[in-house]
Amino acid sequence: MQTPRLILVRHGRSAHVERRWLDAEGLARWNQAYDAASITPELPPPPALRALAQRAACIVASDMPRAIASAELLAGPRMEPATSPLLREVELPLPTVPLVRLPLMAWALVLGAQEFGRRVRGVHAPPEVTDRAGRAADWLLEVAERGTPVLAVTHGSFRAHLARTLERRGLRSRGGGIGHWSAWEFG
């Protein structure tokens, strides 16, 4: 049997832009608006990713608007991407620091520091995230058996959990980057 080929893609940049300084409540509101937004048309996928998408037998995506819009752009008129909540982003625990206002990039650094601190302390992903990554891997591998390669548009944090699950199952990864439109190939 041939090794399945999977391509995990981070969605395009969100159309929701925030330039004001935010307190913790504002950060929560930003997060909701970010999840509801599609992608900005000014930053399309790079040509190399478009070429990968053209070779995909199947394109799937998270059911979040920015992932759906990204998948539709990559699929073009040749196919309708399937969607699944299995590929949704991990809900990050947002800080609840009162009276602090920061720019969005500073909040991103705070969230990253919190995640780093959890990893250093040996705190693993919540069981529901690990379980969902396992179910998503099962689904993608099943789809890949019917016609490889499969391109899956997902999100930054969840993609990392899914990648670790696929690697534990013996798939090798190549590619990289963590930015929007970055692609990780597994096979």
Side-chain angles (χ1 to χ4, degrees), residues 156-167:
S157 293
F158 185 72
R159 180 174 65 165
H161 291 285
L162 181 55
R164 284 191 290 275
T165 301
L166 292 169
E167 288 169 347

Side-chain angles (χ1 to χ4, degrees), residues 159-184:
R159 180 174 65 165
H161 291 285
L162 181 55
R164 284 191 290 275
T165 301
L166 292 169
E167 288 169 347
R168 282 193 300 270
R169 294 184 182 189
L171 275 72
R172 296 180 191 264
S173 66
R174 70 176 190 274
I178 59 171
H180 296 97
W181 297 121
S182 58
W184 300 349

Side-chain angles (χ1 to χ4, degrees), residues 62-64 84-91 132 154-155 158:
S62 154
D63 63 350
M64 303 295 289
S84 174
L86 287 174
L87 298 174
R88 274 188 177 196
E89 180 61 293
V90 174
E91 286 190 37
R132 184 160 55 94
T154 186
H155 308 270
F158 185 72

Side-chain angles (χ1 to χ4, degrees), residues 13-31:
R13 184 177 301 278
S14 173
H16 180 68
V17 176
E18 182 62 65
R19 291 188 173 86
R20 295 173 297 156
W21 285 43
L22 304 170
D23 59 12
E25 288 179 11
L27 180 64
R29 285 191 302 276
W30 168 85
N31 193 51

Side-chain angles (χ1 to χ4, degrees), residues 45 49 67 80 94 155 166 168 185:
L49 179 56
E80 181 73 26
L94 298 179
H155 308 270
L166 292 169
R168 282 193 300 270
E185 295 184 64

Side-chain angles (χ1 to χ4, degrees), residues 38-186:
S38 185
I39 58 172
T40 182
E42 291 85 25
L43 298 169
L49 179 56
R50 286 183 184 267
L52 273 177
Q54 288 300 308
R55 292 193 300 271
C58 181
I59 296 179
V60 299
S62 154
D63 63 350
M64 303 295 289
R66 62 190 180 273
I68 293 170
S70 299
E72 289 173 347
L73 190 58
L74 290 168
R78 72 183 185 97
M79 75 174 72
E80 181 73 26
T83 61
S84 174
L86 287 174
L87 298 174
R88 274 188 177 196
E89 180 61 293
V90 174
E91 286 190 37
L92 299 174
L94 298 179
T96 56
V97 183
L99 305 176
V100 172
R101 296 177 68 80
L102 298 170
L104 190 56
M105 185 54 69
W107 282 117
L109 292 172
V110 168
L111 289 168
Q114 284 180 335
E115 178 64 22
F116 179 74
R118 283 190 291 274
R119 287 184 186 176
V120 167
R121 292 189 317 272
V123 176
H124 300 286
E128 60 271 12
V129 172
T130 303
D131 177 62
R132 184 160 55 94
R135 289 184 288 130
D138 290 343
W139 177 58
L140 290 173
L141 292 170
E142 180 182 320
V143 172
E145 286 178 2
R146 289 185 255 144
T148 59
V150 173
L151 186 142
V153 179
T154 186
H155 308 270
S157 293
F158 185 72
R159 180 174 65 165
H161 291 285
L162 181 55
R164 284 191 290 275
T165 301
L166 292 169
E167 288 169 347
R168 282 193 300 270
R169 294 184 182 189
L171 275 72
R172 296 180 191 264
S173 66
R174 70 176 190 274
I178 59 171
H180 296 97
W181 297 121
S182 58
W184 300 349
E185 295 184 64
F186 291 82

